[in-house]
Amino acid sequence: MLKNKGCERDNLQMNYQSTTCMNDGQMSSCNCMPPCPPPCECACPPICECPQNQVCHRVINYEVPHIMPYHTTVVNHHVYNHTYTPVYSYSEVDEVENVYQNRCCR
């Protein structure tokens, strides 16, 4: 018979019950105790709960430098535009005729 703060715990079962829980897809057992009776002002031992899985997603950014070589080829196109400018010239031809008349002596 236990006495604590003037409260009798005769009728309180002190044996632990085994409960099966699922944790991350694996079976495990937890020791669970029945709840403390309400009229009793006694301190109950803590109840072991099944662990719960918590997932925290983090985003980690990395700066990865890349060297991008660029090669430039310059193609020079030489275009010749021909223009024609007339240059006028002239020439003169002088024709000289010597006309001889036959004169007879008279």
Side-chain angles (χ1 to χ4, degrees):
M1 184 164 159
L2 294 171
K3 292 194 177 203
N4 190 2
K5 293 187 181 179
C7 177
E8 292 184 14
R9 295 182 67 180
D10 296 351
N11 54 1
L12 182 63
Q13 294 180 357
M14 296 299 290
N15 62 337
Y16 286 91
Q17 299 173 353
S18 179
T19 306
T20 304
C21 303
M22 290 291 290
N23 290 325
D24 296 330
Q26 297 179 353
M27 299 286 285
S28 66
S29 63
C30 302
N31 292 325
C32 300
M33 187 168 177
C36 196
C40 179
E41 297 177 9
C42 319
C44 293
I47 299 171
C48 177
E49 297 288 337
C50 296
Q52 297 188 12
N53 189 17
Q54 180 177 342
V55 177
C56 178
H57 292 273
R58 294 190 295 176
V59 176
I60 301 171
N61 291 316
Y62 296 98
E63 183 175 330
V64 180
H66 291 264
I67 296 174
M68 295 292 302
Y70 285 100
H71 176 77
T72 303
T73 300
V74 176
V75 177
N76 294 318
H77 296 276
H78 298 278
V79 177
Y80 294 99
N81 293 317
H82 296 277
T83 60
Y84 297 97
T85 305
V87 175
Y88 297 104
S89 64
Y90 78 98
S91 61
E92 289 184 10
V93 175
D94 292 329
E95 289 186 1
V96 177
E97 287 186 25
N98 286 326
V99 178
Y100 291 107
Q101 291 182 0
N102 262 342
R103 290 190 181 165
C104 289
C105 293
R106 304 189 195 173

